[in-house]
């Protein structure tokens, strides 16, 4: 293998540090200052002339804000052991965090709450959430298809144009912030296809501070407010990629409905 560089297996000849640095819009000097390393050292790592030690990999990954899953890839590509474990939520070690998520879901009743993974799969919800996203198959619901694709959820969203474009922009940001991930790229391509004929909403014409779904349910339009909760200091891959989407009532009519 020769001099060990931080190659990602999906990047071909492109070095992962170079890919992440360019993705973050940084020069080699910028990264050297952030790491901190010498600019020459950064250059040698990117060209494969220098084999980085574990401390250097961690400093580079932190400076580039690389997600934990991809930090493990950087470490392994440099011939080092992965530092960040990946533990299923069903594992005993994850029990306190699994319980915290469950408590958050249950305490949020009667408002909907959803647990979403890295690939926009709905993997858990409280009772209120399940009443809106009805499980119809064996596998998890993918929100890209459920919200943006043709079907009952898209038809339920009264302000779909605004919500759909906000969703798509959020996906683009998250894909840009992630490392090479074919599954995410395929999801983004599907989302782009779903939205290609949807006119861009004039968000400046809206009096709302945040674009959130208005759900048409029967003869009512239920205005909602949504926000995201996540483990901000996770050192484990699964927890780092989990988020909980919380939905609240947006006005008195929605409060009475929920």
């Amino acid at each position: 293998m020769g001099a060990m560089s931080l190659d990602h297996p999906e990047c071909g000849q492109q070095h992962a540090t170079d890919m992440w640095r360019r993705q973050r819009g940084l020069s080699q000097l910028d990264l050297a200052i952030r790491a901190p390393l010498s600019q020459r050292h950064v250059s040698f790592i990117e060209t494969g002339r220098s084999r980085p030690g574990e401390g250097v990999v961690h400093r580079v990954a932190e400076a580039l804000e690389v997600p934990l899953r991809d930090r493990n890839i950087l470490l392994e590509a440099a011939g080092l052991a992965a530092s960040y474990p990946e533990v299923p939520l069903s594992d005993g070690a994850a029990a306190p965090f699994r319980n915290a998520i469950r408590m958050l879901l249950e305490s949020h009743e009667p408002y909907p709450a959803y647990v979403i993974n890295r690939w926009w799969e709905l993997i858990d919800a409280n009772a209120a959430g399940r009443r809106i996203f009805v499980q119809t198959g064996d596998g998890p619901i993918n929100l890209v298809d459920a919200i943006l694709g043709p079907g009952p959820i898209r038809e339920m969203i009264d302000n779909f144009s605004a919500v759909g474009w906000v969703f798509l922009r959020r996906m683009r940001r998250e894909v840009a912030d992630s490392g090479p991930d074919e599954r995410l790229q395929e999801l983004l391509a599907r989302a782009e296809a779903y939205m290609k004929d949807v006119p861009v909403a004039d968000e400046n014409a809206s009096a709302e501070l945040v674009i959130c779904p208005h759900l048409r349910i029967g003869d009512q339009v239920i205005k909602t407010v949504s926000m995201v909760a996540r483990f901000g200091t996770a050192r484990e891959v699964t927890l780092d990629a989990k988020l909980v989407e919380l939905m609240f009532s947006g006005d008195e009519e929605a409060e009475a409905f929920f």
Side-chain angles (χ1 to χ4, degrees):
M1 194 168 181
M4 191 78 67
S5 62
L6 299 184
D7 278 336
H8 190 290
E10 296 182 35
C11 293
Q13 297 301 310
Q14 184 183 24
H15 299 284
T17 47
D18 177 69
M19 178 201 73
W20 279 105
R21 177 177 59 76
R22 293 176 185 278
Q23 192 164 303
R24 297 294 187 246
L26 300 175
S27 66
Q28 287 186 346
L29 178 59
D30 293 330
L31 176 56
I33 293 170
R34 284 191 180 192
L37 298 165
S38 70
Q39 185 175 354
R40 184 182 185 189
H41 196 174
V42 170
S43 176
F44 278 16
I45 290 172
E46 291 190 355
T47 58
R49 295 177 64 186
S50 175
R51 174 174 179 164
E54 183 175 359
V56 170
V57 176
H58 282 299
R59 281 154 61 186
V60 169
E62 186 67 25
L64 293 172
E65 299 178 355
V66 177
L68 299 189
R69 184 185 304 272
D70 297 284
R71 295 188 190 200
N72 279 340
I73 294 172
L74 294 181
L75 287 161
E76 291 170 352
L80 303 164
S83 293
Y84 302 96
E86 185 166 3
V87 179
L89 275 181
S90 57
D91 191 277
F97 308 99
R98 182 174 66 248
N99 292 340
I101 292 173
R102 174 48 50 189
M103 289 175 62
L104 181 58
L105 293 178
E106 292 176 355
S107 66
H108 196 63
E109 294 281 0
Y111 311 106
Y114 307 96
V115 183
I116 303 167
N117 68 11
R118 172 185 176 97
W119 299 286
W120 293 90
E121 291 175 330
L122 179 58
I123 59 173
D124 201 0
N126 62 6
R130 291 192 187 96
R131 283 193 288 270
I132 293 177
F133 283 94
V134 178
Q135 185 78 25
T136 56
D138 296 331
I141 296 172
N142 190 282
L143 297 184
V144 173
D145 298 316
I147 293 176
L148 300 185
I153 299 300
R154 173 168 170 167
E155 293 170 6
M156 184 190 301
I157 302 173
D158 196 57
N159 58 337
F160 174 76
S161 178
V163 169
W165 281 102
V166 168
F167 190 118
L168 181 56
R169 286 198 295 272
R170 178 175 163 184
M171 278 197 72
R172 288 169 175 166
R173 287 195 303 270
E174 295 196 7
V175 170
D177 284 342
S178 301
D181 187 321
E182 186 175 338
R183 192 171 169 187
L184 269 181
Q185 294 289 347
E186 289 174 354
L187 282 171
L188 179 58
R190 288 217 301 271
E192 298 277 7
Y194 286 140
M195 293 298 296
K196 67 177 182 178
D197 295 324
V198 179
V200 178
D202 182 8
E203 295 169 15
N204 293 325
S206 173
E208 296 182 321
L209 299 179
V210 180
I211 302 298
C212 298
H214 297 174
L215 305 178
R216 181 169 292 281
I217 301 175
D219 296 330
Q220 293 179 283
V221 174
I222 308 302
K223 294 184 178 181
T224 69
V225 172
S226 60
M227 61 185 297
V228 170
R230 68 189 312 155
F231 292 104
T233 55
R235 293 196 71 257
E236 187 278 329
V237 172
T238 302
L239 294 175
D240 185 54
K242 291 286 185 299
L243 59 87
V244 181
E245 193 94 21
L246 303 168
M247 188 176 288
F248 300 83
S249 56
D251 57 18
E252 292 182 359
E253 185 177 3
E255 182 70 19
F257 172 83
F258 286 123

